[in-house]
Amino acid sequence: MKELFRLILDHLRTTFLGIALLMGASTALASYGFYVGSDLTEDGTVLIGGSGDEPSGHWLEIVPRQDHEPGATIQVGVTDEARYPGELMEIPQVDTTFKFITMDYSEYAGFPPPLTNGGLNEHQVAGRDIWSPSRDELRDMIPDPQRGPQYSDLARIAMERATTAREAVEIVGAVIDEYGFSTYGGNSHMFADPSEGWVMIQYAGDAGLWVAERLGSDEVRMSYPGYVNPIPSDHIDFENLTLAERDDPEFLASDNFISFAVEQGWFDPDAGEDFDVQAVYAASATPSGTAQRFEERLRDLAPVSLEEFMAVVRDPDVARDTTGYGQVAALQNELEHPELARLWVAPTSSVTAPFIPWYIGVTEVPPEFRVHRYLYRDAASEFLSADYQLQEATSFAFQTFSRLMYYACSDPVRFLPEVTEALVGFERGLIHDQASVEAIAARLLDAGDAELASEYLTYYSNTEARNGLRMGEGLVTGLDARIQAFYDIPQPVGDINAGAGVDCSPEGKIDLTRRGPLASAAAALAERTDEPTVATTADVYAPGEPIEVLFANGQGNTTDWLTVAEADAPNDSFGSWQYVGATGGYAQFFAPDEPGEYEIRLFWNDGYELGASTTITVE
């Protein structure tokens, strides 16, 4: 178990060293998306995953397939409350919209709720929305008021209408071409199906600029922010200043994508060079260091398993308090029944929340995973609608797993690894179950009983969602008891809303004041000697009896650790253990079941260099 903890901690250290070196803090808090092509996955599926980055509460929605009356419309755009003010408008709805699974939320940049970043539809088209800031000159061109669908409208339209990832790009592009685009400064989407992926960038301004790049079966991509590689010169029609006509294009774009850059003096067609999309239109000329590092990691992992991909998506480098949820889809070729398309969803940031499998065949969501007032837009200024009374009375999964994050990340080195271990273990069991779950549902569908198959899938996903929630509640209860027993929770100061969220890196550790007589005893122990010291409040213990351990004058490394070991055992032999991460304080163990002589040992910096020890007897 300690080796697993060490692997997690080593990853935490390298992760946050990398982000400190490669990115500024201002860009560390943002939506992200990952893609792994089918040639690079363990089972030949296409993997896509990631999360949004919004301050509001998030809830699961399963939107049914719907037929619409002739002349039906949908409302799109932004209001005057948006970061860049705009006007709402109506655009035509299609005759039939597809079923899809998504996480909705109520607040981002003043846009009207409900909002979505995408999800998975019945044709196994998956979508992710990711930030992608445009260059300053384009942002200066945003009209006031702006009109046209915004990022959430486009994500929802793609889920409702697309049967392939490429079609999602074409649909979104056509909507922008006809109705314009409302923006908060530039945006992107990542779409995937069982064959390929596409990254699509929508630019700020009033020119309706967009571009998309195909991702093949042998490629990986991290959008953080969304980016597109340079368009090769042989893909450009320099005479007409458009993309060249190709049977199977690697790039798609608005008709004015090349010509507009020429008009602005940002691209010289006479040079006959590749069109460097990032240098011409983006706020950053190159992909972020974090994106490059994660792409290298994914290539090194190949063939990537579903469990490994989940670990990448929940990496605390990018999954943190500002991350509203987590999503992972493994898109399968030759899926006989669309009801078996599956989206794994973490109800809040997956750094401390489990991925739950939700099938397209599911028809209902447990009330604990539906919308609640916690962090809902304007909830503080309005009273509850009586229609929501019972739903609001239930536990809210988003809030439960947010509480787990706040506790676990108060000391990420000590608490986060044990939470991660619980999540991974829970998910490993779910992954193992999927083959049998799908086989049962497939037999029902083959027999023509689609209703019973849907009831079975709904029961399964709902049951496992509640099992995951119970696990989260247990983890919260355990950390709550431990932290409140040993520490004083300080009275906060300042504005509760004036912050950037919780930091789950090792540097996010909160310096808590230990409480009670043992804290005073630990302080007194430090005053009696300058040497590293370990002491216990008794010399003899009964099997299973609590052992209160005091330590003083340690090195204060984050991964200094205490353990109980047999007295004659070598230093690399240990029993129960815990990180201390301080120069002094106290900890609690339980006496081993077997009588004998034991030592409480203090080691430095996750190694076996003995700093101090004391002997106890169990009888």
Side-chain angles (χ1 to χ4, degrees):
M1 184 182 294
K2 190 167 192 295
E3 294 307 312
L4 174 59
F5 274 43
R6 284 183 172 174
L7 288 172
I8 294 169
L9 287 166
D10 286 345
H11 178 63
L12 283 170
R13 292 192 198 96
T14 56
T15 286
F16 283 94
L17 175 61
I19 197 169
L21 294 174
L22 296 171
M23 292 187 69
S26 63
T27 57
L29 308 176
S31 52
Y32 58 94
F34 295 103
Y35 168 90
V36 182
S38 58
D39 290 349
L40 302 179
T41 62
E42 186 177 70
D43 58 2
T45 59
V46 168
L47 293 172
I48 180 173
S51 180
D53 190 77
E54 306 88 21
S56 74
H58 292 66
W59 63 94
L60 186 70
E61 291 280 355
I62 297 179
V63 183
R65 183 183 180 99
Q66 299 177 70
D67 294 321
H68 302 279
E69 295 291 332
T73 62
I74 55 174
Q75 187 179 78
V76 299
V78 300
T79 68
D80 57 5
E81 297 181 7
R83 184 177 300 169
Y84 293 92
E87 296 176 342
L88 297 174
M89 62 185 296
E90 299 286 328
I91 68 172
Q93 180 59 288
V94 295
D95 293 339
T96 300
T97 52
F98 303 135
K99 185 175 185 179
F100 66 99
I101 305 169
T102 186
M103 286 291 277
D104 277 357
Y105 52 97
S106 66
E107 174 59 44
Y108 186 75
F111 288 15
L115 299 165
T116 180
N117 299 123
L120 177 74
N121 77 9
E122 63 183 82
H123 294 282
Q124 284 198 100
V125 176
R128 300 257 9 94
D129 167 84
I130 302 111
W131 65 305
S132 185
S134 303
R135 65 186 292 168
D136 291 342
E137 294 90 337
L138 288 175
R139 295 200 297 272
D140 291 340
M141 296 177 189
I142 298 173
D144 184 4
Q146 59 178 331
R147 286 172 60 83
Q150 31 86 345
Y151 75 92
S152 173
D153 299 324
L154 297 175
R156 196 177 302 276
I157 286 170
M159 293 298 97
E160 289 179 339
R161 304 180 185 183
T163 60
T164 67
R166 176 173 172 174
E167 188 179 25
V169 171
E170 293 171 338
I171 288 170
V172 170
V175 168
I176 293 174
D177 292 343
E178 185 165 358
Y179 302 106
F181 175 54
S182 295
T183 182
Y184 56 85
N187 192 70
S188 76
H189 290 87
M190 177 182 286
F191 298 114
D193 61 32
S195 299
E196 63 184 12
W198 286 81
V199 172
M200 181 182 191
I201 315 293
Q202 305 99 25
Y203 295 92
D206 59 358
L209 298 168
W210 62 267
V211 66
E213 177 189 10
R214 179 179 179 271
L215 305 176
S217 60
D218 59 349
E219 294 184 71
V220 301
R221 176 65 59 92
M222 181 189 191
S223 288
Y224 188 75
Y227 74 91
V228 166
N229 284 311
I231 302 173
S233 59
D234 62 355
H235 288 241
I236 300 173
D237 179 345
F238 284 99
E239 181 178 350
N240 295 303
L241 298 182
T242 61
L243 294 187
E245 293 287 339
R246 302 174 73 92
D247 292 335
D248 188 19
E250 297 293 310
F251 295 89
L252 298 170
S254 56
D255 290 342
N256 63 345
F257 190 72
I258 305 295
S259 61
F260 185 85
V262 174
E263 293 168 5
Q264 301 300 314
W266 299 340
F267 179 67
D268 180 7
D270 295 332
E273 298 176 346
D274 297 347
F275 189 96
D276 191 333
V277 176
Q278 294 301 110
V280 172
Y281 283 131
S284 174
T286 59
S288 70
T290 294
Q292 295 176 56
R293 181 164 51 81
F294 269 94
E295 288 172 358
E296 181 180 359
R297 177 179 168 190
L298 286 168
R299 282 189 287 267
D300 290 343
L301 282 172
V304 184
S305 70
L306 177 60
E307 182 177 325
E308 289 170 331
F309 190 67
M310 287 177 174
V312 171
V313 174
R314 72 154 41 95
D315 190 309
D317 189 329
V318 286
R320 49 185 63 200
D321 185 21
T322 60
T323 308
Y325 60 92
Q327 285 183 354
V328 167
L331 307 174
Q332 307 173 56
N333 263 314
E334 301 179 359
L335 185 66
E336 185 176 355
H337 301 289
E339 293 88 347
L340 299 182
R342 181 181 62 237
L343 183 67
W344 297 80
V345 183
T348 185
S349 174
S350 56
V351 71
T352 55
F355 288 103
I356 306 296
W358 297 94
Y359 286 90
I360 283 290
V362 172
T363 58
E364 294 180 5
V365 176
E368 297 90 344
F369 292 78
R370 302 178 202 155
V371 62
H372 283 63
R373 280 167 58 86
Y374 176 72
L375 296 185
Y376 193 90
R377 183 178 184 178
D378 298 330
S381 59
E382 303 290 345
F383 290 104
L384 176 71
S385 166
D387 289 344
Y388 288 82
Q389 176 178 338
L390 291 179
Q391 184 163 298
E392 188 67 19
T394 64
S395 297
F396 186 24
F398 179 89
Q399 185 174 18
T400 295
F401 288 104
S402 294
R403 289 184 62 211
L404 179 58
M405 183 196 311
Y406 300 153
Y407 271 138
C409 295
S410 68
D411 191 343
V413 170
R414 178 180 295 186
F415 300 133
L416 188 55
E418 62 188 70
V419 171
T420 303
E421 184 182 32
L423 300 179
V424 171
F426 178 73
E427 292 160 352
R428 190 170 291 158
L430 295 177
I431 292 171
H432 177 269
D433 291 344
Q434 295 314 296
S436 60
V437 171
E438 293 180 13
I440 292 170
R443 289 182 182 179
L444 293 170
L445 291 165
D446 289 340
D449 202 336
E451 183 176 351
L452 187 56
S454 179
E455 289 179 5
Y456 168 69
L457 292 171
T458 299
Y459 174 80
Y460 170 78
S461 290
N462 278 245
T463 298
E464 295 304 341
R466 286 190 167 113
N467 287 340
L469 179 57
R470 281 196 292 269
M471 175 187 66
E473 290 169 342
L475 291 169
V476 169
T477 300
L479 285 176
D480 177 78
R482 289 163 61 187
I483 290 173
Q484 297 219 43
F486 286 100
Y487 300 101
D488 289 316
I489 294 181
Q491 174 66 43
V493 295
D495 184 353
I496 192 171
N497 290 321
V502 169
D503 183 359
C504 289
S505 75
E507 289 72 28
K509 179 176 182 284
I510 298 173
D511 292 325
L512 294 172
T513 302
R514 290 183 175 267
R515 66 191 305 174
L518 288 179
S520 301
L525 180 65
E527 293 176 357
R528 290 201 297 268
T529 177
D530 294 330
E531 297 298 320
T533 303
V534 174
T536 57
T537 54
D539 296 324
V540 180
Y541 295 88
E545 184 180 355
I547 304 171
E548 304 291 355
V549 179
L550 311 176
F551 64 97
N553 304 317
Q555 293 183 355
N557 302 307
T558 302
T559 53
D560 293 345
W561 57 290
L562 283 166
T563 186
V564 180
E566 294 180 2
D568 58 354
N571 284 353
D572 61 356
S573 176
F574 55 88
S576 58
W577 63 278
Q578 59 182 277
Y579 289 113
V580 293
T583 56
Y586 60 92
Q588 185 183 75
F589 292 94
F590 291 92
D593 293 333
E594 294 296 324
E597 298 294 313
Y598 292 87
E599 288 183 348
I600 311 296
R601 297 173 177 173
L602 174 63
F603 293 104
W604 306 136
N605 208 25
D606 215 16
Y608 296 108
E609 180 186 351
L610 185 64
S613 66
T614 190
T615 303
I616 62 169
T617 301
V618 177
E619 61 181 31

